[in-house]
Amino acid sequence: MTQHNLIWGGARIVFQLWRTDRRTLAITVRPDMMVLVTAPRGATLEKVMEKVRKRARWIRRQLRFFQEFLPQTPPKKYLGGETHRYLGRQYRLKVVKAERPGVMLKGRFIWVETSQKNGAFQVRELVRAWYLARARERFSRSLVEGVARLGKRLAVTPRVQIRSMPKRWGSWTRRGVVLLNPELVKAPVACIDYVVTHELCHSVHKHHSNAFYTLLRRVMPDWETRKMRLERALVES
C-alpha cells in the first residue's frame, strides 16, 4: 500500500493506494477519515489520479461527514430540540417529565419521558439504550433476510453482534459472527441490508476478490447503489 495526494479546490486529498486482482477501481472513505483507493494491478497512477479527481467532490463531502464523529466534535447535550438520526431520517428530541422513564417514536420526534427534573444524564442513557435496542432488532431482521438471500451457500449459521468500530460499518469473523457498528442504525434500511449481506458474502469468499463481487451482485444486484446511498445518506439527511 502506498500513499499519494491530490490538490483539488485548494484542499489536499491524501489517499492510500492498494492494488489487487480486482478489475475495477473503487474509492472508500472510512469513518477514521482514511481515503482508500483499491485499483487493479495494471492500472496506471495517472488513471488512478484521474479517478480520484473525478470523485474529489464526493470524497470531500464524506470527509466532512465523518469529521462529525471525531473526538473533537462537541458531544450531544440530549436536550429538547436536538436533532438525531434513525433509519435514514432526522428526528428531534422531545423531552417531557413523567413518573416512568421511557423512549418512543412519535411522528418526527424521539419522545423521551424522564423522571428527573434536570435529567440530561438520564435522557442520554435512555436514548442510547433505545438506539441499541432498535439496532439489535433491525440488525437481526437484516441478518434473517441476508441469510435467505445466500441460502445454501452459507456454510455456517451466522449471528449478529454489535460493536463500536471506528474504521468500518461491519465485519465478518471466522466464528460466523457479523459484527455491526451501532451507528449503522442511523442509516436507511436498504443500506443496513447491504452491509449485512456484504459481510455474509465473506463467509463464502474471505477477500474482496472477483468471485466475492460476483456473488454479492448475484444475491444483491443493486449493491453498488445501496453502497453509494450509505456513503451519502447521513450527510444529506
Side-chain angles (χ1 to χ4, degrees), residues 91-179:
Y91 294 85
R92 290 192 178 278
L93 285 188
K94 179 70 174 180
V95 181
V96 298
K97 189 73 167 14
E99 293 184 4
R100 190 172 182 178
V103 182
M104 66 190 80
L105 281 183
K106 284 188 176 183
R108 297 307 298 269
F109 292 91
I110 297 178
W111 191 277
V112 185
E113 297 181 337
T114 175
S115 59
Q116 298 179 6
K117 184 177 181 180
N118 298 311
F121 175 78
Q122 186 182 54
V123 171
R124 184 188 69 183
E125 295 307 303
L126 286 170
V127 171
R128 287 180 175 179
W130 180 82
Y131 265 118
L132 190 58
R134 298 289 77 73
R136 290 195 182 102
E137 179 182 298
R138 181 60 252 177
F139 294 169
S140 294
R141 290 175 60 184
S142 293
L143 180 68
V144 170
E145 294 166 7
V147 168
R149 287 189 183 95
L150 271 81
K152 296 181 179 180
R153 298 182 182 89
L154 287 171
V156 298
T157 301
R159 58 189 178 89
V160 162
Q161 182 176 326
I162 298 174
R163 178 183 297 179
S164 294
M165 296 177 286
K167 296 184 178 181
R168 58 184 66 187
W169 294 116
S171 182
W172 171 264
T173 75
R174 295 180 179 179
R175 296 180 289 108
V177 178
V178 177
L179 300 177

Side-chain angles (χ1 to χ4, degrees), residues 35-55:
V35 180
L36 176 64
V37 179
T38 307
R41 299 188 188 280
T44 64
L45 182 57
E46 181 180 1
K47 183 176 181 180
V48 171
M49 297 293 280
E50 180 183 355
K51 181 70 172 183
V52 174
R53 188 175 292 106
K54 287 182 178 179
R55 299 297 305 279

Side-chain angles (χ1 to χ4, degrees), residues 49-74:
M49 297 293 280
E50 180 183 355
K51 181 70 172 183
V52 174
R53 188 175 292 106
K54 287 182 178 179
R55 299 297 305 279
R57 186 182 300 278
W58 171 82
I59 292 171
R60 291 292 299 166
R61 186 175 62 192
Q62 289 300 104
L63 289 172
R64 285 195 298 271
F65 163 62
F66 285 126
Q67 191 171 22
E68 296 180 7
F69 293 89
L70 295 180
Q72 65 265 28
T73 302

